[in-house]
């Protein structure tokens, strides 16, 4: 049995209520792609998908955690996320005095990607030698390292460094937990680094994670400058441009919409690492960036997901 909590989670609950529905792997992945279906719930539930039978794409489970007993409309909204469970009955189960963050992370194994080792705070095992370890809790923001898109970005960045890529000024758009910005700064420690997110909670989480992992914050070289920003439309982002590395682990739709804006802050010869897109969406995203003067330099497929590295033509 393997567990994968979705990367957007809610806050700490003193006591929880849980709903469980059967689902398929495809449905589990679709939930991760479009969390907006639950935007009307406040606070949003914690969603956790579990592979109940190894390598059986039809035998997955969706658990939804709430800070109060869900009503009928909420139960219907969760059931709608997994169409194969349309005929399933669900009863809210109380989980008294449970720390759902610990519960959701208890089955998570650390992630190894290149020279990086990402683990949760609850991990009590040994950290391998010669790696840069990051403790990233599955909490309030996207990007714990346990999804293929984040793992793929880490792998791609590590490969760039091994091939001798030079980066002096980098930005992580939609940073989530800060993990990718931290990893990039570890690879290029003398670079200027910027990390932004449209969600102020994500920036708060990034500050906490930076402190926990010994990452210096600020606007000088070797530090990560933070900003709550909607894409590239931000004074700090514009002032620090152009960037020779842009990382954007978002979703395919926003990546296409932002192609012109990202081109506008990219240095000639600069590189992009784009993720959050399914393999079926990769060509459409690459096409949008070719129109802005980029060429596809590398593609990495992990599961149903694609990670693209593009380079701005000089």
């Amino acid at each position: 049995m393997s567990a994968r909590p979705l990367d957007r989670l809610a806050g700490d609950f003193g006591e929880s209520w849980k709903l469980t529905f059967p689902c398929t792997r495809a449905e589990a992945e679709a939930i991760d792609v479009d969390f907006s279906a639950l935007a009307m719930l406040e606070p949003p539930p914690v969603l956790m998908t579990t592979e109940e039978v190894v390598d059986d794409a039809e035998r997955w489970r969706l658990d939804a955690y709430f800070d109060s007993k869900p009503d009928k409309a909420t139960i219907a909204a969760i059931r709608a996320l997994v169409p194969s469970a349309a005929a399933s009955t669900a009863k809210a189960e109380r989980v008294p005095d449970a720390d759902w963050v610990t519960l959701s992370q208890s089955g998570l194994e650390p992630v190894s990607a290149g020279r990086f080792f990402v683990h949760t705070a609850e991990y009590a095992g040994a950290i391998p030698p010669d790696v840069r370890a990051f403790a990233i809790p599955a909490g309030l923001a996207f990007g714990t390292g346990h999804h293929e898109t984040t793992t793929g970005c880490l792998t791609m960045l590590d490969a760039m460094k091994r091939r001798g890529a030079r980066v002096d000024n980098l930005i992580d758009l939609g940073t989530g937990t800060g993990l990718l910005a931290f990893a990039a700064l570890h690879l290029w420690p003398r670079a200027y680094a910027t990390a932004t997110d449209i969600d102020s909670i994500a920036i708060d989480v990034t500050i906490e994670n930076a402190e926990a992992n010994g990452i210096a914050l600020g606007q000088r070289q070797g530090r990560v400058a933070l900003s709550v920003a909607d894409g590239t439309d931000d004074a700090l982002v514009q002032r620090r441009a152009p960037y020779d590395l842009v990382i954007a682990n978002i979703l395919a739709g926003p990546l296409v919409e932002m192609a012109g804006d990202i081109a506008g802050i990219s240095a000639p010869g600069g590189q992009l690492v784009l993720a959050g897109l399914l393999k079926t969406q990769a060509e459409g995203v690459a096409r949008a960036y070719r129109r802005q003067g980029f060429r596809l330099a590398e593609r990495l497929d992990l599961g149903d997901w694609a990670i693209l590295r593009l380079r701005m033509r000089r």
Side-chain angles (χ1 to χ4, degrees), residues 60-76:
W60 282 62
R61 185 182 79 240
L62 169 64
D63 293 314
Y65 292 86
F66 303 84
D67 64 347
S68 60
K69 186 175 182 179
D71 57 22
K72 291 182 178 179
T74 300
I75 294 174

Side-chain angles (χ1 to χ4, degrees), residues 43 90 124 199 236 262 272 289 309 311:
D199 189 346
L236 178 69
I262 290 178
L272 309 182
Y289 283 83
R309 180 172 65 86
R311 185 181 287 275

Side-chain angles (χ1 to χ4, degrees), residues 88-138:
S88 300
T89 59
K91 181 180 179 181
E93 173 187 358
R94 190 174 183 179
V95 188
D97 301 324
D99 179 354
W100 60 262
V101 173
T102 301
L103 290 174
S104 69
Q105 296 188 44
S106 62
L108 290 179
E109 294 296 326
V111 171
S112 292
R115 72 193 71 195
F116 301 112
F117 185 81
V118 186
H119 60 91
T120 63
E122 289 72 23
Y123 176 67
I127 295 176
D130 302 322
V131 300
R132 176 51 164 106
F134 291 106
I136 304 291

Side-chain angles (χ1 to χ4, degrees), residues 17-67:
W17 291 79
K18 182 178 75 169
L19 282 175
T20 299
F21 286 106
C23 68
T24 66
R25 175 179 175 175
E27 290 170 338
E29 297 287 8
I31 297 169
D32 206 11
V33 170
D34 186 11
F35 194 87
S36 61
L38 298 182
M40 70 291 190
L41 301 180
E42 182 61 39
V46 179
L47 301 182
M48 179 176 175
T49 56
T50 302
E51 182 183 27
E52 294 197 295
V53 178
V54 176
D55 295 330
D56 188 340
E58 302 301 314
R59 299 288 298 278
W60 282 62
R61 185 182 79 240
L62 169 64
D63 293 314
Y65 292 86
F66 303 84
D67 64 347

Side-chain angles (χ1 to χ4, degrees), residues 249-304:
N249 182 12
I250 313 176
L251 290 172
L255 285 175
V256 170
E257 293 174 4
M258 294 171 62
D261 293 336
I262 290 178
I265 63 169
S266 296
Q271 302 194 69
L272 309 182
V273 173
L274 306 181
L277 50 139
L278 295 166
K279 291 190 291 188
T280 55
Q281 300 169 322
E283 177 52 36
V285 173
R287 185 184 311 117
Y289 283 83
R290 280 197 295 270
R291 292 170 180 156
Q292 300 297 329
F294 291 91
R295 63 176 178 82
L296 180 62
E298 185 178 2
R299 171 174 168 171
L300 172 64
D301 289 348
L302 290 179
D304 296 326

